[in-house]
Amino acid sequence: MSKMKYLFHGDFVTAHPEPGELSVYENAYALVCGGVLEEITLVKPAIGDDVIEIDYQGKLIIPAFSDVHLHAVQYVTTGLGYDKELLPWLTDYTFPEEARFADRDYAARVFTDLVHDLWSCGTLHSSIFSSVNTDATVLLGKMLVEAGLSAFVGKVNMDRNGGVDLEETTEESVHETIRYLDLMAPLEDYGVKPILTPRFAPSCTPELMHQLGQLSVERGLPVQSHANENLDEIDWVKRLFPDSRDYISVYHDFNLLPTGKTVMAHCIYNTDAELEMMHECDVLIAHCPASNANIASGIMPSAYMLGKGLRIGLGSDIGGGNRLFMGHHVSAAMKQSRLRWALTDRASRILNFAEAFWMGTAAGGSLFGKTGVLIPGYAFDALVIDDRHLSRYRPLDVLERLQRFIFVGDERHIVARYCNGEFLSEPGTMVK
Ligand code: GUN
Ligand code: FE
């Protein structure tokens, strides 16, 4: 970690660790020491010669985005097959594509673009599914380290229902997972960590789930998977796991909901008992609104779930979702909450902008430690937005400027990215 001290000058907006109002500091100063934000003040503090001043006056400075659910190996097929539902979409488009990542050169080409584009979009933290292929997964981990991005990267486990090209035997799946854990160990010091990734219950036999659960317990490993995304999928899980109470219990029954270390994608159709179980296990739910619309999965009752105290981050779910830029998903989360309110119960709770922004920054960031908010004691992981073009017609206040950036802007408005207080260069352009 850098020992440098910096004083940033600009217009800051941040959520807080808990959902609520956003804080705005217009024309303010942020003092960053050793990568950590010390204070934000409206009056310029007295500083010594050892502090470097960085002038972003007139620009927005916001916490970096966290994408807590995406599939690196679906980057190429993003946008394809959105006239299908989940299960045929997986079989027809996704599984055949993922099998191609046994080819190292193909994997390297795709991951080079993906890592670059994560950087470009200001997604400095992500929780990623790779494929079943260990070597491709470790390659992705190394490329993320090179780019200075933080991530959980999972080798996918699937020993059934994946088709001949993708499926592993149970023994291969466990053996390869242990090999992957060994190969990932050196990357942990650089912020790229392994995460157990049983694809979803229908892809894993009870024996594989059992062995992965044991690994999670023995080594304290985090887990990511999918649940309650699509009605046909949920019926299938009931038939495959008749002894479990419900879908979330399948993971719980196999020790695959480690407390505070689980990311569960989608979670659209949950019973109250499942919500309670996820709350107890402090699961981070990855809400993937774009994907849920594209493959007609449904609309998550996000506002209701927030009201129950659940921790909900946002996932692009590339390639079920069609944009990497997390502003798109912040706005999609709001749109879907509003549609659900309009089509179901107009007396129900509705997501507001501050909550949606919180999901894409603070809540997602909570998976990665003290990041995702611009408050003292947290890492200064931040994006600088030049939004002059978006507010050129008439003056807007800082919160309105943030809304314009999220709903109308995109990665072209991000002019600088900082990770632990240090400027993050474009991948591939770093001087070695
Ligand atoms: N469930 C199991 N695998 C997948 C996947 O790749 N994408 C989505 N959206 N859901 C899944
Ligand atoms: Fe997914």
Side-chain angles (χ1 to χ4, degrees):
M1 179 106 14
S2 156
K3 294 270 185 296
M4 302 293 289
K5 294 182 185 172
Y6 298 104
L7 186 69
F8 292 89
H9 184 192
D11 300 326
F12 300 85
V13 193
T14 184
H16 291 265
E18 296 304 319
E21 297 289 301
L22 302 181
S23 293
V24 172
Y25 309 89
E26 188 170 6
N27 196 18
Y29 299 85
L31 183 63
V32 175
C33 300
V36 175
L37 180 65
E38 287 219 331
E39 57 174 354
I40 302 188
T41 52
L42 296 176
V43 175
K44 186 176 177 181
I47 49 169
D49 290 347
D50 56 340
V51 179
I52 298 167
E53 293 188 51
I54 303 182
D55 184 8
Y56 287 124
Q57 203 174 344
K59 297 189 174 59
L60 284 175
I61 303 181
I62 65 172
F65 292 120
S66 288
D67 184 345
V68 292
H69 182 70
L70 74 152
H71 299 258
V73 290
Q74 296 174 20
Y75 203 39
V76 176
T77 48
T78 299
L80 302 184
Y82 292 168
D83 41 12
K84 295 186 185 284
E85 277 191 63
L86 174 67
L87 299 178
W89 177 77
L90 286 175
T91 318
D92 295 352
Y93 285 93
T94 307
F95 292 167
E97 171 64 15
E98 293 192 12
R100 299 186 68 178
F101 286 75
D103 173 349
R104 192 189 181 286
D105 290 343
Y106 185 69
R109 274 172 56 208
V110 176
F111 293 160
T112 299
D113 284 347
L114 175 73
V115 169
H116 176 274
D117 296 350
L118 283 169
W119 168 87
S120 169
C121 290
T123 303
L124 305 190
H125 307 91
S126 43
S127 194
I128 308 180
F129 281 52
S130 176
S131 71
V132 292
N133 191 281
T134 300
D135 296 324
T137 307
V138 175
L139 175 67
L140 174 60
K142 288 180 177 164
M143 292 169 89
L144 287 158
V145 166
E146 282 268 303
L149 300 175
S150 295
F152 287 97
V153 183
K155 175 230 169 305
V156 168
N157 296 100
M158 43 195 305
D159 67 342
R160 63 171 164 180
N161 298 317
V164 277
D165 292 334
L166 203 55
E167 230 169 77
E168 326 158 283
T169 64
T170 310
E171 294 68 34
E172 273 167 359
S173 192
V174 173
H175 178 265
E176 283 297 297
T177 301
I178 290 168
R179 191 166 78 85
Y180 138 85
L181 292 172
D182 290 345
L183 291 169
M184 291 289 288
L187 309 185
E188 293 210 30
D189 290 345
Y190 302 94
V192 174
K193 299 178 184 169
I195 182 164
L196 294 176
T197 306
R199 179 177 207 115
F200 67 158
S203 296
C204 301
T205 59
E207 178 55 26
L208 179 57
M209 300 271 271
H210 170 72
Q211 296 208 38
L212 294 175
Q214 255 185 340
L215 263 182
S216 169
V217 172
E218 282 164 11
R219 302 195 185 195
L221 290 166
V223 173
Q224 60 181 355
S225 194
H226 298 87
N228 288 336
E229 177 178 7
N230 168 288
L231 297 177
D232 292 340
E233 170 214 21
I234 295 169
D235 275 350
W236 196 18
V237 171
K238 275 196 191 117
R239 277 180 272 126
L240 290 171
F241 294 91
D243 297 336
S244 288
R245 184 191 65 189
D246 45 43
Y247 200 158
I248 297 298
S249 300
V250 173
Y251 297 114
H252 192 260
D253 291 346
F254 290 103
N255 288 318
L256 286 166
L257 283 188
T259 301
K261 292 183 184 174
T262 304
V263 187
M264 201 51 75
H266 304 295
C267 302
I268 301 172
Y269 304 100
N270 319 285
T271 63
D272 279 347
E274 288 181 300
L275 290 180
E276 237 167 72
M277 183 175 262
M278 288 195 282
H279 190 257
E280 260 169 37
C281 296
D282 191 21
V283 169
L284 176 65
I285 292 170
H287 178 29
C288 306
S291 168
N292 296 164
N294 288 335
I295 51 175
S297 298
I299 303 182
M300 191 177 97
S302 53
Y304 172 76
M305 288 162 66
L306 271 189
K308 293 252 171 202
L310 287 148
R311 199 156 57 105
I312 308 176
L314 292 177
S316 67
D317 196 26
I318 289 294
N322 57 308
R323 284 274 184 277
L324 207 50
F325 175 60
M326 291 307 293
H328 179 77
H329 302 287
V330 173
S331 65
M334 276 190 76
K335 287 178 204 183
Q336 294 206 355
S337 177
R338 302 179 76 72
L339 284 176
R340 193 177 166 104
W341 173 88
L343 293 173
T344 59
D345 174 9
R346 287 177 185 240
S348 66
R349 204 176 176 287
I350 194 165
L351 204 65
N352 62 38
F353 179 77
E355 288 167 332
F357 186 70
W358 172 84
M359 288 181 183
T361 54
S366 68
L367 183 65
F368 304 89
K370 295 193 88 172
T371 182
V373 290
L374 300 179
I375 64 172
Y378 278 67
F380 189 77
D381 294 337
L383 310 177
V384 182
I385 318 296
D386 184 346
D387 66 323
R388 275 173 300 181
H389 182 73
L390 296 172
S391 55
R392 67 193 185 281
Y393 300 111
R394 67 169 178 83
L396 301 174
D397 68 30
V398 174
L399 267 183
E400 290 172 328
R401 287 167 55 199
L402 178 64
Q403 291 178 18
R404 286 275 291 172
F405 167 63
I406 291 293
F407 276 87
V408 184
D410 58 40
E411 63 271 28
R412 288 170 296 185
H413 298 102
I414 305 176
V415 292
R417 299 136 190 92
Y418 285 84
C419 189
N420 292 315
E422 293 297 327
F423 181 82
L424 204 56
S425 317
E426 185 169 0
T429 60
M430 279 168 275
V431 182
K432 295 234 169 108

